[in-house]
Amino acid sequence: MAVAPAHEATMATDDTQSIAELYALLSTCFQTPDRALVEAARTGTLYEQLVARTGSLGFRPERPPTDGFEGVPDLHEAYLRSFEGFEGAYAPPAESAYEQWWDGRDGGLLSGPAAVDMRRRFDAVEVDIPDRYPADHIALLLEYGGLLLEAAEIDAYVSFHEEHFDWIPDFHERVEETCEDPFYVWTVQVLSGTIEAVETQLLRTDQPDEHDG
């Protein structure tokens, strides 16, 4: 799913703003759940806000399933089971677990090269990283990508996307294998669909025609 080297990456201003807002919404879904997230999911507000921002990407997410959790404690337990190994197998929501390390070893551990790079990036823009998340946690990657888009730093965003979102298919597969909580299966499906749509619709490359000169 990696983006091809771009001859010319273009994004309309309205598109970049919508995607930045979409990333912010998805980021909240991957943070430790709170009452606002529970209410947004149960009342349909989360779905409405997502749909309002996915139009330019050409896909429409399904409604989030809300069966199985009545409040914050229920969804918090689901979050722990899904992403922090509270019970059995889980899917770490951090890039280092899926990428090679400096010595060429496969991923599986946290705080690898991706986390080091993200700490450097956040330090450069003087943004503090919450202690409860590794620097390459998907919630933080989405927030950083949104910052680049809001600033219309398109070339920087394309480079960041190529470097830090290529692990999402592996994360999605791990969730499908280990997660039994419908809300977080849905969340990762929406994430995966979003990243794929960004690549397909907005990071298109202007390839030279093979018959040209």
Side-chain angles (χ1 to χ4, degrees):
M1 193 179 69
V3 181
H7 294 278
E8 182 180 355
T10 59
M11 293 185 184
T13 301
D14 290 346
D15 290 339
T16 60
Q17 184 62 35
S18 291
I19 295 170
E21 293 172 358
L22 178 57
Y23 282 3
L25 285 169
L26 286 173
S27 177
T28 63
C29 292
F30 285 100
Q31 296 172 28
T32 304
D34 58 15
R35 184 174 300 278
L37 176 60
V38 170
E39 290 302 312
R42 295 187 63 83
T43 62
T45 302
L46 175 61
Y47 174 73
E48 293 169 0
Q49 291 180 343
L50 288 171
V51 168
R53 292 164 176 82
T54 57
S56 64
L57 295 176
F59 88 102
R60 186 184 184 93
E62 297 180 356
R63 291 184 178 276
T66 56
D67 293 341
F69 66 88
E70 297 297 330
V72 175
D74 294 329
L75 193 58
H76 188 231
E77 288 187 11
Y79 182 91
L80 294 176
R81 286 193 300 267
S82 300
F83 301 134
E84 296 189 6
F86 184 64
E87 293 177 354
Y90 70 108
E95 183 180 358
S96 290
Y98 305 88
E99 300 284 5
Q100 285 192 338
W101 280 44
W102 295 279
D103 59 4
R105 289 180 298 163
D106 289 336
L109 301 173
L110 301 180
S111 298
V116 171
D117 182 60
M118 289 308 302
R119 279 194 292 271
R120 176 187 62 79
R121 288 174 179 269
F122 280 117
D123 286 345
V125 295
E126 299 182 342
V127 172
D128 293 330
I129 299 172
D131 292 338
R132 63 185 179 278
Y133 302 127
D136 57 347
H137 191 282
I138 185 58
L140 299 181
L141 297 183
L142 290 165
E143 288 189 2
Y144 185 84
L147 289 175
L148 293 177
L149 292 172
E150 287 179 351
E153 297 285 348
I154 304 305
D155 289 341
Y157 173 79
V158 171
S159 177
F160 169 75
H161 187 111
E162 292 174 340
E163 293 178 18
H164 286 285
F165 283 137
D166 61 346
W167 60 286
I168 299 302
D170 291 334
F171 176 46
H172 188 177
E173 181 178 354
R174 182 82 66 87
V175 168
E176 295 286 349
E177 292 173 351
T178 63
C179 183
E180 297 181 356
D181 294 287
F183 180 81
Y184 286 112
V185 171
W186 170 85
T187 298
V188 176
Q189 289 172 344
V190 177
L191 168 70
S192 184
T194 296
I195 297 302
E196 289 180 2
V198 168
E199 293 175 2
T200 300
Q201 300 293 332
L202 299 178
L203 298 183
R204 292 188 299 266
T205 59
D206 295 333
Q207 300 289 350
D209 192 299
E210 64 182 16
H211 299 294
D212 288 348

